[in-house]
Amino acid sequence: LGNSHFSTATEPSFNRRNSSRVPNLIGGTFVDSQATAAIDVINPATQEVVSQVPLTTNEEFKAAVSAAKKAFLSWRNTPVTTRQRIMFKLQELIRRDIDKLAKNITTEQGKTLKDAHGDVFRGLEVVEHACGMATLQMGEYVTNVSNGIDTFSIREPLGVCAGICPFNFPAMIPLWMFPIAVTCGNTYVLKPSEKDPGASMMLAELAMEAGLPDGVLNIVHGTNDIVNAICDDDDIRAVSFVGSNTAGMHIYARASAKGKRVQSNMGAKNHGIVMPDANMDATLNALVAAGFGAAGQRCMALSTVVFVGDSKSWESKLVERAKSLKVNAGTEPDTDLGPVISKQAKERIYNLIQSGVESGAKLLLDGRNIVVPGYEQGNFIGPTILSDVTADMECYKEEIFGPVLVCMKADSFDEAIDIVNRNKYGNGASIFTTSGAAARKFQIEIEAGQVGINVPIPVPLPFFSFTGSKASFAGDLNFYGKAGVNFYTQIKTITQQWKDLPSGSGVSLAMPTSQ
Ligand code: NAD
């Protein structure tokens, strides 16, 4: 398998390199980019520079695609059982190194160590799912579709596929992508987020340790130019994207204009409808956890609460609970919220809070201007709650992607459903109620792809798919689950005739029909 880079050392080999530059991974070798331009990866709690991400040159990008193209020739013919076995090994290695992965995520992304474990674990579940690929990738068979003729279908890999990642889940999202793709028999070019590439590098190294042959998984770093090169490249057959709408719609348009398959998971504004009959204690706990966990930087963060009728009076209790959360560096024990990713993100969130205040929302809890002792330079924002928010306000229309909970009110359940359905996004929506009838109505009428009933963050496990809808998704085959396998495979049908043919039956030029 050509594992010349194989490492049994305790630190990943790319970390042991003398350079603080993050290497690319091309054809099984970690190589430094020749590019002069690079971006600093910054620890959001301290502002320390962790490493530098190169803006990979076009030649290096082409070399990665060509390594993937070459590896596809033998990888596509490698038995599916062998491919699965590598995933079995990979899941074992991820478990072995989960603490190291989590530490890297906290350093580069800022989330708490516990949350970083969750980031790895939710990705690990996709690897476990890929272990059953032989069954997932099965075709279909109909015997005797015509006399002596059978038709069957097989699901073949596409070839070279590519994935473009966001910053907020540095392990989970790369693991939504390459394990399914390569276990289907494709080869891969991954572009991690330039803000936190470390987890992708560690995962790639583990994949090679698990036996993934050289060139099956390649990594190139960079930003817009490299993404555009991925969209334009004739050898890349499919593109998976997770990130903002601006980038996602651009990538969807540009790559599909080249005839590629694209699955694009994008932004969100997830609502939680609180009915007056809900269990108050459990609901408030769920709202605080789902609104402020990961400092609100989850695409499934429950960032908008719609209080129906009398449940509005629970707002003050929500504020009390949010106040008790501890804001600190993700490495400190008992931290509830770490910093947001960058100074720019912090400024953007500040502006959205301010715009809410200026347009008439009530600031029930202001997390701006908090100072975290020992981490004075960190990009911290404390839990913030805006109340009496209306649908025309900027703080409602924009995805805030920070620890800000926006509260609205509705006089009736129908009005609450209407608020959610008018929002352009459709990633997730939840209802909190003890009424089965209300829950059922919500499930049927709500226009969001992932519905929670007394569950604040209804992200399904990988045997289902991640099913955001409306402006939160472009494409038609979702990430992981059956849809994910369909995305990374194309169907070939074979029609075969095996029978003793009577001689002298003549030639018929009519369209063949079933006999
Ligand atoms: P982002 O769009 O800024 O970056 C994502 C990727 O796209 C990065 O690799 C980046 O280099 C690249 N990119 C950014 N701008 C580009 C451009 N103009 N042209 C080409 N490439 C470009 O997103 P982010 O800030 O890293 O992530 C946060 C966003 O991701 C939020 O909107 C969040 O809701 C979304 N998200 C969605 C899901 C989901 O499954 N729906 C999951 C996680 C995150």
Side-chain angles (χ1 to χ4, degrees):
L1 296 174
N3 275 334
S4 54
H5 47 261
F6 186 90
S7 157
T8 50
T10 49
E11 285 301 314
S13 62
F14 78 91
N15 264 354
R16 282 190 278 109
R17 299 155 62 90
N18 288 329
S19 166
S20 65
R21 275 213 170 191
V22 188
N24 288 320
L25 172 61
I26 299 176
T29 310
F30 289 108
V31 277
D32 275 325
S33 171
Q34 297 305 305
T36 44
I39 296 176
D40 287 341
V41 174
I42 295 168
N43 180 329
T46 62
Q47 306 306 313
E48 279 158 12
V49 175
V50 181
S51 58
Q52 269 111 24
V53 167
L55 299 185
T56 302
T57 66
N58 198 44
E59 293 81 69
E60 290 160 348
F61 166 70
K62 289 282 178 205
V65 177
S66 123
K69 202 177 169 190
K70 185 162 161 254
F72 181 62
L73 298 175
S74 55
W75 183 241
R76 64 176 303 173
N77 291 319
T78 302
V80 65
T81 43
T82 306
R83 300 199 301 251
Q84 283 184 162
R85 237 167 250 137
I86 294 171
M87 290 299 124
F88 274 111
K89 185 70 186 168
L90 177 59
Q91 69 80 30
E92 181 191 326
L93 297 178
I94 292 173
R95 283 174 199 277
R96 183 194 72 191
D97 284 3
I98 194 162
D99 289 343
K100 274 193 252 170
L101 282 156
K103 190 163 171 256
N104 177 281
I105 291 170
T106 299
T107 306
E108 295 186 1
Q109 200 274 353
K111 63 178 74 175
T112 66
L113 280 171
K114 192 163 177 229
D115 198 31
H117 268 88
D119 186 332
V120 182
F121 200 84
R122 291 305 295 253
L124 173 70
E125 289 170 332
V126 181
V127 179
E128 290 171 345
H129 187 63
C131 292
M133 191 54 76
T135 317
L136 295 169
Q137 208 174 343
M138 271 183 183
E140 294 173 322
Y141 196 108
V142 176
T143 191
N144 224 34
V145 292
S146 184
N147 232 333
I149 295 183
D150 313 311
T151 298
F152 59 96
S153 66
I154 54 178
R155 289 211 154 264
E156 294 192 320
L158 305 172
V160 182
C161 302
I164 301 159
C165 306
F167 79 81
N168 65 329
F169 283 99
M172 179 181 81
I173 287 171
L175 290 172
W176 283 4
M177 296 176 175
F178 80 82
I180 301 285
V182 304
T183 317
C184 286
N186 300 287
T187 55
Y188 217 76
V189 176
L190 185 76
K191 206 294 283 175
S193 168
E194 65 278 12
K195 299 193 174 78
D196 44 25
S200 286
M201 302 310 293
M202 294 168 87
L203 290 168
E205 183 146 64
L206 295 181
M208 292 191 297
E209 185 180 340
L212 202 68
D214 292 349
V216 173
L217 173 62
N218 304 274
I219 297 186
V220 289
H221 300 287
T223 56
N224 300 14
D225 289 348
I226 201 91
V227 168
N228 288 338
I230 287 173
C231 295
D232 295 345
D233 194 286
D234 288 330
D235 288 322
I236 293 177
R237 304 288 312 279
V239 178
S240 297
F241 170 82
V242 179
S244 66
N245 284 63
T246 315
M249 287 315 294
H250 163 73
I251 290 163
Y252 182 75
R254 189 157 174 160
S256 34
K258 280 283 191 169
K260 297 182 204 317
R261 287 186 182 191
V262 186
Q263 51 178 190
S264 178
N265 265 12
M266 298 173 286
K269 197 84 184 174
N270 309 302
H271 298 67
I273 294 185
V274 180
M275 300 296 281
D277 64 12
N279 177 312
M280 186 181 72
D281 202 44
T283 302
L284 291 175
N285 285 344
L287 294 176
V288 169
F292 301 116
Q297 299 174 112
R298 290 181 184 139
C299 65
M300 285 292 281
L302 206 63
S303 55
T304 308
V305 186
V306 185
F307 288 107
V308 178
D310 293 344
S311 68
K312 164 105 173 122
S313 64
W314 301 357
E315 253 180 13
S316 55
K317 293 192 174 71
L318 183 67
V319 172
E320 287 315 308
R321 286 180 202 214
K323 258 187 197 163
S324 69
L325 298 176
K326 291 196 190 70
V327 182
N328 207 337
T331 44
E332 297 295 334
D334 302 326
T335 301
D336 293 309
L337 276 79
V340 297
I341 188 70
S342 63
K343 289 261 172 265
Q344 293 85 330
K346 181 172 171 174
E347 195 184 314
R348 195 182 150 272
I349 296 164
Y350 268 38
N351 290 341
L352 282 165
I353 296 170
Q354 192 55 31
S355 83
V357 172
E358 282 162 18
S359 52
K362 272 198 221 119
L363 191 55
L364 298 184
L365 183 61
D366 187 359
R368 295 174 296 178
N369 307 317
I370 61 158
V371 176
V372 175
Y375 298 94
E376 288 77 6
Q377 300 306 312
N379 314 321
F380 293 99
I381 307 179
T384 299
I385 299 181
L386 283 164
S387 168
D388 293 340
V389 170
T390 51
D392 54 339
M393 293 182 188
E394 218 45 40
C395 64
Y396 174 74
K397 289 192 282 187
E398 287 288 312
E399 179 183 36
I400 301 179
F401 224 55
V404 182
L405 200 50
V406 157
C407 298
M408 304 171 87
K409 61 173 188 294
D411 292 332
S412 67
F413 185 27
D414 281 318
E415 188 189 333
I417 290 179
D418 197 48
I419 291 173
V420 181
N421 288 352
R422 277 170 195 265
N423 192 280
K424 70 173 177 172
Y425 295 111
N427 224 26
S430 294
I431 186 169
F432 299 90
T433 184
T434 47
S435 155
R440 190 164 182 280
K441 177 179 161 79
F442 179 79
Q443 170 208 316
I444 292 166
E445 293 186 12
I446 211 73
E447 291 168 13
Q450 300 176 104
V451 174
I453 295 172
N454 297 318
V455 171
I457 304 192
V459 177
L461 286 168
F463 22 89
F464 293 94
S465 300
F466 190 102
T467 53
S469 62
K470 291 162 70 182
S472 299
F473 179 67
D476 54 2
L477 292 169
N478 299 102
F479 279 82
Y480 60 78
K482 287 195 190 90
V485 174
N486 290 352
F487 180 77
Y488 284 124
T489 53
Q490 59 195 345
I491 308 172
K492 183 184 269 177
T493 53
I494 295 98
T495 299
Q496 63 178 6
Q497 171 173 265
W498 293 112
K499 66 179 177 189
D500 292 328
L501 299 166
S503 54
S505 55
V507 176
S508 168
L509 272 62
M511 181 70 184
T513 56
S514 179
Q515 303 291 324

